[in-house]
Amino acid sequence: MTDSVFLRVNGERREVHAAPGTPLLTVLRNDLGLNGPKFGCGLGECGACTVLLDGRAARSCVVRVETAAACESVVTLEGLSPDGSDPVQQAFIKAQAAQCGYCLNGMVMTVKAFLDVVPDPDEAALREALRYNLCRCGTHVEIMKAACIAAGLVKGDP
């Protein structure tokens, strides 16, 4: 049995039909066609599915759609900026912080949420913020450089 659920995703009010308990990630990818959040572990452990719920980083694979419906906003990677001009996205581009790119959604969204709360962190705080996001292909150095660029700790030149 499915219910009609209303979500505000990337600034648009969207109606979806989903069974109670359906993971938000499933709705975002399968019903709304948003490919930013990725299915990684399905347990909320890796961070590939991270979205912003009312500005806070959340693992969409373990957030129920009805929980997200109670939020004022759901923002995916696609919703940060239509043209990719968000400063965090630009920092990841400048640092060339991608190899396979699978983890990048979670890394970008986590850094974005963190910097919105702590706009002037040190590198240790950034490291701690990214602690539970996994990268399996080894771009940790570039990811940290991107986070530092986004925080204004280093210049964006390679």
Side-chain angles (χ1 to χ4, degrees):
M1 186 69 162
T2 63
D3 294 337
S4 183
V5 179
F6 292 93
L7 301 167
R8 180 160 299 282
V9 179
N10 299 332
E12 290 183 40
R13 187 170 189 259
R14 305 290 298 267
E15 180 180 11
V16 296
H17 299 280
T22 299
L24 175 60
L25 178 62
T26 302
V27 170
L28 293 173
R29 288 188 62 84
N30 296 353
D31 298 323
L32 300 180
L34 298 168
N35 295 317
K38 306 286 189 252
F39 182 88
C41 65
L43 302 170
E45 298 289 329
C46 73
C49 66
T50 302
V51 298
L52 304 181
L53 294 181
D54 293 339
R56 297 183 63 190
R59 308 293 170 97
S60 64
C61 70
V62 293
V63 172
R64 297 162 53 125
V65 69
E66 57 269 23
T67 301
C71 295
E72 291 191 25
S73 72
V74 177
V75 178
T76 67
L77 187 64
E78 295 90 345
L80 287 185
S81 67
D83 60 359
S85 64
D86 180 84
V88 175
Q89 290 173 307
Q90 285 300 304
F92 275 75
I93 292 166
K94 286 178 187 170
Q96 298 179 6
Q99 187 166 332
C100 80
Y102 207 81
C103 71
L104 280 188
N105 172 79
M107 300 294 186
V108 169
M109 299 306 280
T110 299
V111 170
K112 174 69 173 170
F114 179 71
L115 291 178
D116 284 349
V117 174
V118 182
D120 192 26
D122 59 18
E123 187 173 341
L126 284 168
R127 219 173 267 287
E128 181 64 25
L130 287 169
R131 178 179 175 182
Y132 297 106
N133 287 72
L134 302 178
C135 171
R136 291 178 176 94
C137 64
T139 59
H140 298 90
V141 172
E142 292 84 359
I143 289 167
M144 277 309 302
K145 182 176 181 182
C148 288
I149 292 169
L153 296 175
V154 298
K155 297 284 185 209
D157 302 328

PDB file of all heavy atoms in Angstrom, residues 11-28:
ATOM      1  N   GLY A  11      13.849  23.006  -3.507  1.00  0.00           N
ATOM      2  CA  GLY A  11      13.002  24.184  -3.671  1.00  0.00           C
ATOM      3  C   GLY A  11      11.658  23.952  -4.327  1.00  0.00           C
ATOM      4  O   GLY A  11      10.862  24.872  -4.415  1.00  0.00           O
ATOM      5  N   GLU A  12      11.398  22.730  -4.784  1.00  0.00           N
ATOM      6  CA  GLU A  12      10.122  22.427  -5.437  1.00  0.00           C
ATOM      7  C   GLU A  12       9.290  21.481  -4.585  1.00  0.00           C
ATOM      8  O   GLU A  12       9.811  20.501  -4.049  1.00  0.00           O
ATOM      9  CB  GLU A  12      10.351  21.741  -6.783  1.00  0.00           C
ATOM     10  CG  GLU A  12      10.934  22.614  -7.848  1.00  0.00           C
ATOM     11  CD  GLU A  12      11.043  21.859  -9.166  1.00  0.00           C
ATOM     12  OE1 GLU A  12      10.116  21.092  -9.502  1.00  0.00           O
ATOM     13  OE2 GLU A  12      12.068  22.041  -9.835  1.00  0.00           O
ATOM     14  N   ARG A  13       8.008  21.758  -4.498  1.00  0.00           N
ATOM     15  CA  ARG A  13       7.098  20.844  -3.797  1.00  0.00           C
ATOM     16  C   ARG A  13       6.795  19.680  -4.742  1.00  0.00           C
ATOM     17  O   ARG A  13       6.332  19.901  -5.864  1.00  0.00           O
ATOM     18  CB  ARG A  13       5.812  21.562  -3.407  1.00  0.00           C
ATOM     19  CG  ARG A  13       4.906  20.717  -2.538  1.00  0.00           C
ATOM     20  CD  ARG A  13       3.776  21.580  -1.994  1.00  0.00           C
ATOM     21  NE  ARG A  13       3.006  20.873  -1.008  1.00  0.00           N
ATOM     22  CZ  ARG A  13       1.817  20.305  -1.233  1.00  0.00           C
ATOM     23  NH1 ARG A  13       1.263  20.408  -2.428  1.00  0.00           N
ATOM     24  NH2 ARG A  13       1.185  19.673  -0.276  1.00  0.00           N
ATOM     25  N   ARG A  14       7.087  18.469  -4.276  1.00  0.00           N
ATOM     26  CA  ARG A  14       6.918  17.285  -5.115  1.00  0.00           C
ATOM     27  C   ARG A  14       6.019  16.282  -4.417  1.00  0.00           C
ATOM     28  O   ARG A  14       6.146  16.053  -3.218  1.00  0.00           O
ATOM     29  CB  ARG A  14       8.268  16.625  -5.393  1.00  0.00           C
ATOM     30  CG  ARG A  14       9.340  17.528  -5.996  1.00  0.00           C
ATOM     31  CD  ARG A  14       9.052  17.934  -7.427  1.00  0.00           C
ATOM     32  NE  ARG A  14       8.987  16.822  -8.335  1.00  0.00           N
ATOM     33  CZ  ARG A  14       9.997  16.360  -9.049  1.00  0.00           C
ATOM     34  NH1 ARG A  14      11.197  16.916  -8.952  1.00  0.00           N
ATOM     35  NH2 ARG A  14       9.825  15.352  -9.871  1.00  0.00           N
ATOM     36  N   GLU A  15       5.136  15.664  -5.177  1.00  0.00           N
ATOM     37  CA  GLU A  15       4.290  14.595  -4.655  1.00  0.00           C
ATOM     38  C   GLU A  15       4.841  13.261  -5.140  1.00  0.00           C
ATOM     39  O   GLU A  15       5.135  13.096  -6.330  1.00  0.00           O
ATOM     40  CB  GLU A  15       2.845  14.746  -5.125  1.00  0.00           C
ATOM     41  CG  GLU A  15       1.935  13.650  -4.601  1.00  0.00           C
ATOM     42  CD  GLU A  15       0.506  13.797  -5.066  1.00  0.00           C
ATOM     43  OE1 GLU A  15       0.230  14.626  -5.958  1.00  0.00           O
ATOM     44  OE2 GLU A  15      -0.356  13.064  -4.547  1.00  0.00           O
ATOM     45  N   VAL A  16       4.981  12.336  -4.218  1.00  0.00           N
ATOM     46  CA  VAL A  16       5.410  10.991  -4.566  1.00  0.00           C
ATOM     47  C   VAL A  16       4.463   9.999  -3.907  1.00  0.00           C
ATOM     48  O   VAL A  16       3.763  10.329  -2.956  1.00  0.00           O
ATOM     49  CB  VAL A  16       6.869  10.712  -4.122  1.00  0.00           C
ATOM     50  CG1 VAL A  16       7.839  11.615  -4.859  1.00  0.00           C
ATOM     51  CG2 VAL A  16       7.029  10.865  -2.623  1.00  0.00           C
ATOM     52  N   HIS A  17       4.448   8.807  -4.428  1.00  0.00           N
ATOM     53  CA  HIS A  17       3.647   7.739  -3.845  1.00  0.00           C
ATOM     54  C   HIS A  17       4.607   6.669  -3.367  1.00  0.00           C
ATOM     55  O   HIS A  17       5.351   6.089  -4.167  1.00  0.00           O
ATOM     56  CB  HIS A  17       2.662   7.185  -4.878  1.00  0.00           C
ATOM     57  CG  HIS A  17       1.711   8.233  -5.360  1.00  0.00           C
ATOM     58  ND1 HIS A  17       0.607   8.611  -4.638  1.00  0.00           N
ATOM     59  CD2 HIS A  17       1.733   9.026  -6.457  1.00  0.00           C
ATOM     60  CE1 HIS A  17      -0.026   9.575  -5.276  1.00  0.00           C
ATOM     61  NE2 HIS A  17       0.645   9.846  -6.396  1.00  0.00           N
ATOM     62  N   ALA A  18       4.613   6.458  -2.054  1.00  0.00           N
ATOM     63  CA  ALA A  18       5.569   5.520  -1.467  1.00  0.00           C
ATOM     64  C   ALA A  18       4.947   4.823  -0.271  1.00  0.00           C
ATOM     65  O   ALA A  18       4.134   5.406   0.446  1.00  0.00           O
ATOM     66  CB  ALA A  18       6.826   6.263  -1.036  1.00  0.00           C
ATOM     67  N   ALA A  19       5.349   3.600  -0.082  1.00  0.00           N
ATOM     68  CA  ALA A  19       4.906   2.851   1.089  1.00  0.00           C
ATOM     69  C   ALA A  19       5.557   3.439   2.334  1.00  0.00           C
ATOM     70  O   ALA A  19       6.703   3.913   2.272  1.00  0.00           O
ATOM     71  CB  ALA A  19       5.287   1.382   0.949  1.00  0.00           C
ATOM     72  N   PRO A  20       4.850   3.439   3.454  1.00  0.00           N
ATOM     73  CA  PRO A  20       5.470   3.903   4.692  1.00  0.00           C
ATOM     74  C   PRO A  20       6.768   3.133   4.953  1.00  0.00           C
ATOM     75  O   PRO A  20       6.847   1.931   4.717  1.00  0.00           O
ATOM     76  CB  PRO A  20       4.420   3.585   5.756  1.00  0.00           C
ATOM     77  CG  PRO A  20       3.124   3.558   5.003  1.00  0.00           C
ATOM     78  CD  PRO A  20       3.473   3.011   3.642  1.00  0.00           C
ATOM     79  N   GLY A  21       7.787   3.853   5.380  1.00  0.00           N
ATOM     80  CA  GLY A  21       9.069   3.224   5.661  1.00  0.00           C
ATOM     81  C   GLY A  21      10.020   3.195   4.485  1.00  0.00           C
ATOM     82  O   GLY A  21      11.171   2.782   4.618  1.00  0.00           O
ATOM     83  N   THR A  22       9.568   3.638   3.321  1.00  0.00           N
ATOM     84  CA  THR A  22      10.449   3.665   2.152  1.00  0.00           C
ATOM     85  C   THR A  22      11.606   4.624   2.424  1.00  0.00           C
ATOM     86  O   THR A  22      11.390   5.752   2.873  1.00  0.00           O
ATOM     87  CB  THR A  22       9.680   4.135   0.898  1.00  0.00           C
ATOM     88  OG1 THR A  22       8.615   3.227   0.644  1.00  0.00           O
ATOM     89  CG2 THR A  22      10.585   4.226  -0.318  1.00  0.00           C
ATOM     90  N   PRO A  23      12.839   4.197   2.143  1.00  0.00           N
ATOM     91  CA  PRO A  23      13.962   5.112   2.332  1.00  0.00           C
ATOM     92  C   PRO A  23      13.859   6.320   1.406  1.00  0.00           C
ATOM     93  O   PRO A  23      13.492   6.192   0.234  1.00  0.00           O
ATOM     94  CB  PRO A  23      15.184   4.260   1.973  1.00  0.00           C
ATOM     95  CG  PRO A  23      14.735   2.846   2.135  1.00  0.00           C
ATOM     96  CD  PRO A  23      13.273   2.847   1.760  1.00  0.00           C
ATOM     97  N   LEU A  24      14.201   7.480   1.939  1.00  0.00           N
ATOM     98  CA  LEU A  24      14.199   8.702   1.140  1.00  0.00           C
ATOM     99  C   LEU A  24      15.064   8.534  -0.106  1.00  0.00           C
ATOM    100  O   LEU A  24      14.703   9.000  -1.188  1.00  0.00           O
ATOM    101  CB  LEU A  24      14.704   9.879   1.992  1.00  0.00           C
ATOM    102  CG  LEU A  24      14.880  11.205   1.271  1.00  0.00           C
ATOM    103  CD1 LEU A  24      13.563  11.696   0.676  1.00  0.00           C
ATOM    104  CD2 LEU A  24      15.471  12.230   2.229  1.00  0.00           C
ATOM    105  N   LEU A  25      16.196   7.854   0.021  1.00  0.00           N
ATOM    106  CA  LEU A  25      17.084   7.639  -1.120  1.00  0.00           C
ATOM    107  C   LEU A  25      16.361   6.977  -2.283  1.00  0.00           C
ATOM    108  O   LEU A  25      16.526   7.375  -3.441  1.00  0.00           O
ATOM    109  CB  LEU A  25      18.293   6.794  -0.714  1.00  0.00           C
ATOM    110  CG  LEU A  25      19.273   6.451  -1.838  1.00  0.00           C
ATOM    111  CD1 LEU A  25      19.892   7.710  -2.427  1.00  0.00           C
ATOM    112  CD2 LEU A  25      20.342   5.502  -1.325  1.00  0.00           C
ATOM    113  N   THR A  26      15.546   6.008  -2.007  1.00  0.00           N
ATOM    114  CA  THR A  26      14.792   5.299  -3.046  1.00  0.00           C
ATOM    115  C   THR A  26      13.872   6.262  -3.789  1.00  0.00           C
ATOM    116  O   THR A  26      13.805   6.247  -5.020  1.00  0.00           O
ATOM    117  CB  THR A  26      13.976   4.147  -2.432  1.00  0.00           C
ATOM    118  OG1 THR A  26      14.875   3.257  -1.762  1.00  0.00           O
ATOM    119  CG2 THR A  26      13.179   3.392  -3.475  1.00  0.00           C
ATOM    120  N   VAL A  27      13.199   7.102  -3.053  1.00  0.00           N
ATOM    121  CA  VAL A  27      12.283   8.074  -3.654  1.00  0.00           C
ATOM    122  C   VAL A  27      13.063   9.094  -4.488  1.00  0.00           C
ATOM    123  O   VAL A  27      12.683   9.421  -5.615  1.00  0.00           O
ATOM    124  CB  VAL A  27      11.440   8.768  -2.562  1.00  0.00           C
ATOM    125  CG1 VAL A  27      10.665   9.950  -3.126  1.00  0.00           C
ATOM    126  CG2 VAL A  27      10.495   7.772  -1.911  1.00  0.00           C
ATOM    127  N   LEU A  28      14.169   9.584  -3.937  1.00  0.00           N
ATOM    128  CA  LEU A  28      14.956  10.594  -4.654  1.00  0.00           C
ATOM    129  C   LEU A  28      15.468  10.050  -5.981  1.00  0.00           C
ATOM    130  O   LEU A  28      15.362  10.704  -7.016  1.00  0.00           O
ATOM    131  CB  LEU A  28      16.123  11.072  -3.796  1.00  0.00           C
ATOM    132  CG  LEU A  28      15.754  11.863  -2.545  1.00  0.00           C
ATOM    133  CD1 LEU A  28      17.003  12.133  -1.700  1.00  0.00           C
ATOM    134  CD2 LEU A  28      15.043  13.158  -2.893  1.00  0.00           C
TER     135      LEU A  28
END
